Each structure stands twice: as C-alpha cells, then as structure tokens.
C-alpha cells in the first residue's frame, strides 16, 4: 500500500515540525454528483442539479447527507475557505486486519483524504475556524488523524482568537486504531478546554449521525449546540440500548427533536437557514467582520 | 506465564480479583464516602469521597462493580449512569477548590447503555468530565485495576499519571462488540482482543499507561502497600510542579498520543 510506504511518525515526531497553517491555494471543488438520489423519507427522485440547489434537503424536509466539501464551501463567503491540517492522514498503527484496504476505499468513496475537513473561512465577513466530519469516510469515525486535525484546528483558533464552528457526523471512535482512537477524545477535549478558557466561542452543529465517542466529547462541548432536523444524536447505539433495556424504543428516540426536548441542544436549524443563523449567533457573541 | 489478552479480560470479569472498595481500604486511611450528584440521584456504580494517602488528604473516585451477585446488582455491575459521572464531576471540582489531588480507580465494561442514561445525557456527562479533567490544576492519578472499557472508563482516566495493574486491560470497544461489528461473529472475541492491543504492556507502549503495577493477590495487603508507595512517589513528583505546569503536563501527554503520517 502506497499510504503505508510513507514514513510513519508518532504525533510527538510530527509536532516537532511547524504547526499546520492554512493552505495558500483554493480548495478542490466538490466532485460533481453523477446520479440522481431517492429520498429515503418520501421516495422522491432528486436530480443532481436539484439536489445541489436545495443543499441536499428534500422538499419533504428530509435532510440528506451532504459532503463536507460542499457544506463548508457553500457555508463560507465566496473563495474564503482554505484547508488546514489536510496534510495529516492515517497510518495503520496496530496493523489491524483489513484497515489499510478500508482507508483506501474510504478515500475513493468520499473523495477526501480523511474523515474530517478542517479550515478557515469567513461567514458574513467574520473569520472562523471550521471543521466538518465526513460520514462517507468510514462513518466519520475518529482515529489519530481525525483527532490530530481537529486538535490543530482548535490550537490555531486559540492562537488567532477565532471562533470555531464544527459540524459533527460520526459513528464514534475508529476501532481499527484501538485505544489510540479513544484517547483522541481526551486530546480534542483538552484543545476545546484551552480554546474556551482563552475566551473562544465554539458552536457545534450536530448532523446525522452523531454518536458514541463524538457525542461523549466535542459534540457536547460547544458553547452553543445546534442540530439539523431529524439528525440521530446519542451515545449508545439504538440496538445496544434496546438490548440493555429489553424493550422497543420510540421512533424518535435520539433524534434531534428528542435531544431538544431533553435539554441537550440549543436549537434545531434547517440547513437552508444555517448560514444566516450562524452569522447571527457569531454577531450576538461579539464577533465582527474583519 | 503470559496470559492471552482475552483471558486477562475474562479473569477481570470473574470474581477472583479485588474490587474498588478493597483497594480503597487497603491503600488509604479514614476514607469518608460522599454521595450524590446534587442533580438527580446517587449512582452506586461510582464510589467517591475523601481519604488520607499516607497523611495527605486526597479525593478518591472509583468505579465499583461489587463483589457478590447482590452487590453487583446494586451497583449495576459497575456500569455508571450520567448521575455517576456527575457525582465524579462534583468531587473533581471540589478537589480543585480545596487543592486536593484526585486519585481515580477504574474497572468498568463501559458507561451504562440504557434508555434512561440516554435521556439524562450520557454523552454530555462523559464529555464534561473529559473537559474538567483537562481543566483542573491539581494532580490527577488514575489506577486501572480491571477493565478500562471505552468512553465510560476514559471519563475517569484523563490523568497526569496512569498506573495499570499487569492483568488490567483498556480498550476502545469490547472485543465481543468489535468482533460482531467487523466480522459479524462475537465468537471471534479472542481474535479481536489480540488485534485491539488491550494489555497494560500495550498501553505503556502507546504512552497511555505510565507505570505497570505488579500483582500479588496472594498477599493483598502488601500489594496495596506497594501501590501506596507508588502513588506517593508519583504525587510527590507532581507536587514539585507549579499548578499550571501540572495541567500543561497532562495536556502534553494526551497531545502526543496517536500515530499519523504527514503528506509531503
């Protein structure tokens, strides 16, 4: 595997190098959609051009999954987004059976080099640090590289006094990296804590699905926590909860609406209103256009 | 004889090893339990309180599975609920206020996965502890004496020093869960346990565990005495550092964990 012929480094080794800086060049455009999609909620067939215009929200209200590149490029002011920490990618530290192949396949299906896209950009002229997790890259699972990218983003934002806006979408820690994945929860939480203590604003936006170790760390650490309609948000998986509880769960269990009713998120925001809502919240929190 | 990782896990889940309360009694004096999260309930799966470590007051927080079946049921088999993590959070904040070191003891298959735990914010409860353990200026030492099961164990394991018993394990997911997700066969748990690298030696190699504790259950009092000496030594080292440095050391430890490849 080409990926693993590269020199492996521990994070400690990589840290000795200079910290990540935003890329000088414009990010690659999202790859064009080839085929129509059928809405799983209402069965409507949506053509690629329609999907893009509607931000992948079906007229029935169902929020379909949108690629991170499309999401962040659409959210940020034109030509303002620059990638950060994209040079950080995964290795196979445990030589875990099948992991190398899964990484290669995930790169192809998602067109991303890891399960999270980080960068800086402007929303309504306000400078922000942003990350978005890619559900189509191994279910957005967090291994060392995902943890490292997000940590570098928070550290960059702390240095530059930037607010952080993070879109979560993940099945949790990536088990193929064993406990190294689990420890990323601690690492990112430390970076969030330092950003917060320095007065930084962090808005988390929970998208479908946000579960496991992500819910048990930075998804729930935002000063403000938003969610997209219908997003699955929870710690334990539905099947595991049903096995533990021994009874069927209501249909809306762990939905964004369930989380709002139980007091765990601030608001549910439609994707079409996300940009305006974020800009308003940034301004209400004293952030100004540069 | 070197045990297979999965046999280590099976030994932990059995009844032969000591429970949290026995370590607390063996290592500390004057342990005084403090109950409740002041929000919802008292979770018997987490035992917390104050005690002396060789004359120094410390805050002790431990996951207790229970010894016999009746106690295991009462303690929910050491599967903490959000109120358990919130009790721990309350005691961590109190420790910070009164400049007391925090000593945690970990043995859990994981956080409780019931519907009620989800309704009360299991994810949030763990996340808040991770942030708090990164924020406190007092020394934090965690002893993993049994099973370090995923996020539910991590919520008490972010520490300046992690000591691990030689038979203890730490894992991102149970080997059974891993095998059933990856290979659709929970029967391959032993294979998964090997692949996941869960032993104390593995944790030391990853920089997660800082010292491995030799086990001597045949003479439990002297094993506890050795653990007391070990804890005192680590605490003395950490107490030579300024409070900001203690915190910085903890962040630096976790900041360095992971393996990546930079492109180019």
């Amino acid at each position: 595997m080409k990926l693993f012929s590269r020199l492996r480094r521990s994070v400690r080794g990589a840290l000795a190098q200079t910290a990540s800086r935003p890329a000088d060049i414009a990010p690659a455009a999202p790859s064009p959609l080839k085929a129509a999609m059928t809405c799983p909620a209402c069965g409507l067939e949506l053509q690629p051009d329609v999907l893009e215009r509607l931000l992948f929200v079906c007229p029935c209200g169902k929020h379909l999954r949108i690629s991170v590149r499309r999401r962040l490029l659409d959210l940020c002011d034109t030509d303002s987004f620059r990638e950060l920490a994209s040079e950080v990618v995964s290795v196979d530290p445990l030589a875990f059976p099948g992991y190398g192949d899964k990484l290669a396949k995930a790169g192809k299906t998602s067109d991303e080099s890891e399960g999270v896209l980080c960068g800086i950009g402007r929303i309504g002229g306000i400078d922000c640090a942003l990350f978005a997790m890619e559900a189509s890259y191994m279910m957005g699972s967090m291994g060392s590289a995902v943890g490292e990218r997000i940590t570098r983003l928070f550290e960059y934002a702390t240095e530059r006094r930037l607010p952080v806006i993070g879109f979560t979408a993940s099945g949790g820690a990536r088990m193929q990296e064993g406990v190294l994945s689990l420890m990323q929860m601690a690492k990112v939480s430390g970076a969030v804590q330092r950003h917060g203590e320095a007065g930084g604003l962090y808005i988390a936006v929970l998208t479908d699905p946000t579960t496991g170790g992500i819910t048990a760390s930075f998804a729930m650490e935002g000063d403000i926590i938003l969610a997209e309609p219908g997003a699955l948000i929870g710690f334990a998986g539905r099947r595991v909860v049903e096995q533990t509880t021994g009874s069927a769960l209501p249909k809306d269990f762990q939905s964004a609406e369930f989380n709002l009713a139980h007091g765990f998120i601030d608001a549910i925001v439609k994707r079409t209103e996300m940009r305006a809502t974020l800009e308003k919240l940034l301004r209400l929190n004293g952030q100004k256009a540069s | 004889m070197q045990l297979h990782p999965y046999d280590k896990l099976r030994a932990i889940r059995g009844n032969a090893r000591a429970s949290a309360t026995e370590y607390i009694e063996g290592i500390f004096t004057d342990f005084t339990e403090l109950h409740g999260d002041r929000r919802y309930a008292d979770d018997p799966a987490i035992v917390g309180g104050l005690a002396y470590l060789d004359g120094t007051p410390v805050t002790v927080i431990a996951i207790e599975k229970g010894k016999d079946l009746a106690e295991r049921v009462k303690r929910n088999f050491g599967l903490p609920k959000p109120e358990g993590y919130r009790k721990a959070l309350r005691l961590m904040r109190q420790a910070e206020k009164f400049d007391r070191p925090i000593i945690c003891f970990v043995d859990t298959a994981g956080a409780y996965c019931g519907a009620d735990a989800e309704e009360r914010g299991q994810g949030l409860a763990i996340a808040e502890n991770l942030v708090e353990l990164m924020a406190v200026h007092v020394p934090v030492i965690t002893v993993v004496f049994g099973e370090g099961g995923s996020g539910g164990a991590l919520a008490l394991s972010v520490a300046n020093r992690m000591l691990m018993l030689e038979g203890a394990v730490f894992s991102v997911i149970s080997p059974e869960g891993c095998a059933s997700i990856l290979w659709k066969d929970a029967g391959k748990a032993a294979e998964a346990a090997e692949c996941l690298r869960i032993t104390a030696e593995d944790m030391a190699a990853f920089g997660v565990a800082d010292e491995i504790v030799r086990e001597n259950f045949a003479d439990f009092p002297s094993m506890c005495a050795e653990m007391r000496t070990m804890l005192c030594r680590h605490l003395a080292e950490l107490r030579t550092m300024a409070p900001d440095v203690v915190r910085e050391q903890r962040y630096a430890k976790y900041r360095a964990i992971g393996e990546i490849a930079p492109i180019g």
Side-chain angles (χ1 to χ4, degrees):
Chain A
M1 286 262 337
K2 187 167 161 256
L3 187 65
F4 303 114
S5 64
R6 291 188 194 119
L7 184 64
R8 262 194 213 173
R9 301 162 207 251
S10 73
V11 173
R12 205 184 296 270
L15 267 185
Q17 306 177 314
T18 49
S20 295
R21 290 283 170 264
D24 297 327
I25 49 163
S31 29
L33 219 62
K34 290 175 198 88
M37 281 172 80
T38 305
C39 173
C42 73
L44 186 69
E45 193 181 84
L46 296 151
Q47 295 304 318
D49 60 320
V50 176
L51 277 169
E52 282 180 31
R53 207 169 53 240
L54 298 177
L55 295 173
F56 289 70
V57 180
C58 180
C60 78
K62 171 78 180 173
H63 282 55
L64 305 171
R65 287 181 192 165
I66 182 170
S67 81
V68 288
R69 200 159 284 273
R70 209 166 243 116
R71 184 191 284 282
L72 291 186
L73 288 177
D74 180 78
L75 179 72
C76 292
D77 298 351
T78 308
D79 198 33
S80 74
F81 184 74
R82 291 292 178 274
E83 292 184 37
L84 186 113
S86 289
E87 72 278 12
V88 175
V89 294
S90 291
V91 294
D92 183 8
L94 311 187
F96 199 98
Y99 184 33
D101 292 343
K102 280 203 170 110
L103 286 174
K105 203 172 144 212
K108 281 201 190 95
T109 52
S110 67
D111 259 336
E112 293 296 331
S113 56
E114 246 309 327
V116 69
L117 177 63
C118 299
I120 56 155
R122 280 191 294 277
I123 297 175
I126 300 165
D127 288 316
C128 301
L130 304 114
F131 72 86
M133 303 180 85
E134 177 58 66
S136 73
Y137 192 105
M138 288 190 75
M139 270 314 294
S141 61
M142 175 163 65
S144 302
V146 168
E148 180 67 18
R149 281 187 179 190
I150 299 174
T151 301
R152 288 191 187 187
L153 183 80
F154 271 97
E155 288 181 340
Y156 184 86
T158 306
E159 252 173 57
R160 307 296 168 104
R161 306 195 143 271
L162 294 177
V164 175
I165 295 172
F167 293 84
T168 59
S170 177
R174 191 178 292 171
M175 61 186 141
Q176 289 88 347
E177 291 188 28
V179 82
L180 296 177
S181 295
L182 184 71
M183 294 298 149
Q184 304 306 311
M185 292 166 61
K187 181 163 110 181
V188 176
S189 295
V192 173
Q193 191 275 327
R194 289 155 80 101
H195 179 254
E197 194 172 89
L201 168 69
Y202 168 34
I203 302 177
V205 186
L206 316 189
T207 75
D208 188 59
T210 294
T211 61
I214 307 305
T215 302
S217 61
F218 54 88
M220 285 293 165
E221 291 166 4
D223 297 295
I224 295 171
I225 306 178
L226 308 177
E228 285 192 336
L232 173 77
I233 302 156
F235 174 64
R238 188 187 182 92
R239 241 182 326 144
V240 177
V241 177
E242 279 181 336
Q243 277 166 12
T244 306
T245 312
S247 57
L249 296 163
K251 195 163 170 278
D252 77 331
F253 186 72
Q254 296 180 323
S255 66
E257 295 71 17
F258 170 97
N259 275 275
L260 184 70
H262 283 87
F264 297 119
I265 60 176
D266 289 285
I268 295 172
V269 179
K270 290 178 190 157
R271 196 175 293 156
T272 47
E273 290 162 15
M274 192 60 76
R275 185 190 158 82
T277 305
L278 287 172
E279 188 181 333
K280 192 167 69 177
L281 285 170
L282 287 165
R283 289 191 195 286
L284 284 167
N285 277 281
Q287 307 293 324
K288 291 184 177 67
S290 57
Chain B
M1 196 196 77
Q2 193 66 15
L3 276 180
H4 185 277
Y6 194 55
D7 291 329
K8 287 191 173 186
L9 182 56
R10 276 201 290 229
I12 291 163
R13 289 174 181 168
N15 238 349
R17 295 164 66 96
S19 76
T21 309
E22 291 171 295
Y23 287 101
I24 294 173
E25 282 168 4
I27 295 170
F28 304 95
T29 52
D30 282 355
F31 176 67
T32 307
E33 190 171 357
L34 302 173
H35 291 274
D37 69 344
R38 304 288 193 273
R39 294 287 182 272
Y40 178 78
D42 181 47
D43 185 356
I46 292 189
V47 171
L50 307 178
Y52 289 110
L53 174 68
D54 198 26
T56 304
V58 294
T59 291
V60 180
I61 306 170
I63 304 179
E64 174 60 89
K65 277 182 177 170
K67 273 303 267 185
D68 52 35
L69 184 63
E71 200 199 348
R72 288 197 167 206
V73 169
K74 179 190 144 194
R75 299 202 180 273
N76 198 28
F77 300 88
L79 307 169
K81 295 185 177 181
E83 49 271 28
Y85 294 114
R86 289 181 181 130
K87 169 164 66 178
L89 182 68
R90 181 173 79 81
L91 296 178
M92 288 168 197
R93 288 183 173 157
Q94 216 173 71
E96 175 80 352
K97 178 180 176 185
F98 296 108
D99 191 29
R100 268 194 305 264
I102 300 168
I103 319 275
C104 297
F105 289 82
V106 169
D107 178 23
T108 181
Y112 184 63
C113 290
D116 56 338
E118 294 291 317
E119 281 163 3
R120 294 197 292 279
Q122 189 67 287
L124 175 69
I126 294 169
E128 285 183 318
N129 283 15
L130 299 182
V131 170
E132 192 65 22
L133 284 173
M134 281 293 183
V136 295
H137 297 77
V138 294
V140 183
I141 304 176
T142 288
V143 181
V144 181
F145 66 93
E147 191 173 0
S150 197
L154 188 65
L156 295 182
S157 299
V158 180
N160 294 91
R161 301 277 192 277
M162 184 199 277
L163 314 184
M164 242 177 123
L165 267 59
E166 58 188 334
V169 300
F170 216 106
S171 185
V172 64
I173 185 170
S174 75
E176 294 84 1
C178 177
S180 76
I181 292 170
L182 281 186
W183 304 314
K184 315 276 176 242
D185 182 3
K188 289 189 178 164
E191 201 181 323
E194 264 186 79
C195 295
L196 285 166
R197 305 270 305 272
I198 62 175
T199 66
E201 293 82 23
D202 292 326
M203 292 312 117
F206 294 142
V208 172
D210 299 282
E211 189 165 1
I212 296 175
V213 182
R214 203 172 53 83
E215 291 176 3
N216 179 16
F217 288 107
D219 186 0
F220 190 65
S222 67
M223 181 173 150
C224 285
E226 273 181 41
M227 288 171 77
R228 187 188 313 121
T229 308
M230 206 180 267
L231 285 169
C232 288
R233 170 164 48 80
H234 283 289
L235 197 55
E237 274 172 32
L238 293 165
R239 278 304 199 191
T240 62
M241 303 175 186
D244 278 341
V245 179
V246 169
R247 200 161 77 139
E248 192 63 36
Q249 187 268 330
R250 202 180 312 124
Y251 183 69
K253 174 182 167 177
Y254 291 89
R255 185 69 189 82
I257 296 176
E259 222 179 299
I260 55 164
I263 297 175

